[in-house]
Amino acid sequence: DGAASKTGSSEVLKGVVRVVDGDTIVLATTKDKMEQRVRIRLAGIDAPEMKQSCVDEHGTEYLCGERSKEHLVRFIHERPVTCEEQGVDRYKRIVAECFVEDRKEGGAGRARSINHEMVRSGHAVAYRTYSRAYDDDEAAAKSAKRGIWRGSFETPSVFRSNARNAHHHQNDL
């Protein structure tokens, strides 16, 4: 899923993005005067799947994968994105930490990590199988009951595993 095999040199990619889901974006960038679209998996984080339901603090089910995607769209807010490539996963997606410029009035802002924001806001979990970089963000989201931490949920990796098992069992019938 988020495993990255290290490429020789880590490339920096910059461009405008389309959000696929809470941990995947498509970046349109220009390289050697050719426009290319690159699918990027946000490194070290795991967001709920698009069809995944969670339960909020009132016991109401909601589509947390949809909400995660919506948060990412709002956070990026059509700003250019810069991604630092860390490798390529088994689905041939570039695995990267990505940043948006935090625009302040009257000047350039600092770059804000999209990966850290998604976990800190409770719209993704730290994907410890691949990284420990987001553990503090997850702890902060959990203690403040932000996003999915307001209620109950299956981790995205467990949700995917259960969905795969259900699919296999259906084929056995």
Side-chain angles (χ1 to χ4, degrees), residues 26-70:
V26 174
L27 186 127
T29 187
T30 307
K31 189 175 181 179
D32 302 326
K33 296 185 179 152
M34 296 282 292
E35 178 158 315
Q36 60 180 149
R37 295 188 188 290
V38 185
R39 198 169 182 91
I40 296 174
R41 173 68 161 80
L42 298 175
I45 75 168
D46 202 13
E49 297 299 316
M50 290 302 290
K51 292 181 175 12
Q52 184 172 346
S53 291
C54 296
V55 177
D56 70 14
E57 65 273 32
H58 307 294
T60 307
E61 245 183 67
Y62 68 98
L63 288 172
C64 47
E66 288 279 348
R67 196 166 294 172
S68 176
K69 176 183 178 178
E70 289 163 11

Side-chain angles (χ1 to χ4, degrees), residues 13-133:
L13 301 163
K14 192 173 194 159
V16 293
V17 301
R18 178 178 63 82
V19 174
V20 176
D21 59 29
D23 55 28
T24 309
I25 58 176
V26 174
L27 186 127
T29 187
T30 307
K31 189 175 181 179
D32 302 326
K33 296 185 179 152
M34 296 282 292
E35 178 158 315
Q36 60 180 149
R37 295 188 188 290
V38 185
R39 198 169 182 91
I40 296 174
R41 173 68 161 80
L42 298 175
I45 75 168
D46 202 13
E49 297 299 316
M50 290 302 290
K51 292 181 175 12
Q52 184 172 346
S53 291
C54 296
V55 177
D56 70 14
E57 65 273 32
H58 307 294
T60 307
E61 245 183 67
Y62 68 98
L63 288 172
C64 47
E66 288 279 348
R67 196 166 294 172
S68 176
K69 176 183 178 178
E70 289 163 11
H71 181 79
L72 184 52
V73 168
R74 280 194 311 273
F75 181 70
I76 292 173
H77 195 65
E78 299 175 8
R79 293 177 287 181
V81 171
T82 303
C83 296
E84 295 174 2
E85 187 178 333
Q86 295 179 4
V88 178
D89 72 8
R90 64 181 173 168
Y91 302 109
K92 307 269 188 273
R93 295 175 297 190
I94 289 173
V95 176
E97 182 170 8
C98 297
F99 303 86
V100 289
E101 188 113 329
D102 190 12
R103 293 200 192 115
K104 298 285 181 224
E105 299 270 334
R110 61 188 176 86
R112 288 187 59 194
S113 167
I114 295 170
N115 306 46
H116 281 285
E117 166 61 24
M118 289 302 290
V119 177
R120 196 177 309 117
S121 65
H123 292 286
V125 295
Y127 207 173
R128 288 184 188 80
T129 308
Y130 303 108
S131 173
R132 304 299 303 220

Side-chain angles (χ1 to χ4, degrees), residues 160-173:
R160 285 190 300 273
S161 175
N162 289 342
R164 273 193 301 271
N165 291 340
H167 178 75
H168 290 305
H169 291 307
Q170 224 169 15
N171 291 342
D172 294 341
L173 300 177

